[in-house]
Amino acid sequence: MSTDLSPADGAGNRELLHFLTQETRFAILGNVLQHPEGLPSMYELEQLNPSVSEATVYKHVQKLIDAGILEEVALPDDKRQQGYPWKFYGLTEEGRAFLEEHNLLAAEETLQRIYESISDRPEKMEKYEAAPRPDR
């Protein structure tokens, strides 16, 4: 998949929309949008998708990065803390613009409220949610 998010024709847009709305990738996008910081770690993404293997979550995150929708954002070395994640995944500016253009961000606020209502998050996930995040 190309990282060009502004194809010259409608066929390219349809192809990218079809790619993004595949069930697992769409769920991952929803997880990113609902995350309080918009930057979940891989562990958080894995926990939010329990019916999918960790390898599958990783593979789809990589595909979304390759498509230019997500980016990996690393915490600077001097901000990393042992026992906490230091790689996070968030929407690129181009990815956010593409989702906005195709009305796929309309539920972002609702997704965030749903996330806040999840009461059975594992202790490790709550710890990771509190991890320092890079500035964007």
Side-chain angles (χ1 to χ4, degrees), residues 85-134:
W86 56 275
K87 284 184 183 178
F88 304 93
Y89 302 90
L91 288 176
T92 62
E93 287 181 30
E94 297 82 7
R96 180 168 281 283
F98 184 86
L99 295 176
E100 179 74 37
E101 178 184 340
H102 292 89
N103 203 28
L104 294 175
L105 294 179
E108 186 172 17
E109 227 176 272
T110 302
L111 288 169
Q112 290 170 352
R113 284 196 301 273
I114 290 169
Y115 185 89
E116 291 168 4
S117 73
I118 300 171
S119 61
D120 61 346
R121 291 190 295 264
E123 187 177 320
K124 183 177 178 180
M125 188 164 162
E126 289 181 1
K127 175 184 175 181
Y128 277 30
E129 287 172 357
R133 297 283 196 287

Side-chain angles (χ1 to χ4, degrees), residues 8-113:
D9 60 28
N13 276 336
R14 282 190 303 276
E15 182 181 311
L16 185 55
L17 280 170
H18 179 67
F19 170 81
L20 294 177
T21 56
Q22 182 279 340
E23 185 177 358
T24 302
R25 288 188 285 270
F26 198 63
I28 290 168
L29 286 174
N31 300 148
V32 171
L33 292 172
Q34 74 183 156
H35 191 271
E37 302 295 326
L39 285 174
S41 65
M42 185 62 68
Y43 175 79
E44 290 167 291
L45 292 172
E46 291 164 355
Q47 291 300 301
L48 291 167
N49 294 282
S51 65
V52 181
S53 74
E54 293 174 6
T56 299
V57 171
Y58 178 82
K59 177 182 78 170
H60 285 289
V61 167
Q62 290 305 309
K63 287 182 179 192
L64 289 164
I65 290 170
D66 292 345
I69 299 296
L70 291 184
E71 63 182 338
E72 181 180 279
V73 184
L75 201 58
D77 290 343
D78 63 335
K79 302 280 187 190
R80 295 178 188 176
Q81 297 178 14
Q82 189 166 357
Y84 286 94
W86 56 275
K87 284 184 183 178
F88 304 93
Y89 302 90
L91 288 176
T92 62
E93 287 181 30
E94 297 82 7
R96 180 168 281 283
F98 184 86
L99 295 176
E100 179 74 37
E101 178 184 340
H102 292 89
N103 203 28
L104 294 175
L105 294 179
E108 186 172 17
E109 227 176 272
T110 302
L111 288 169
Q112 290 170 352
R113 284 196 301 273

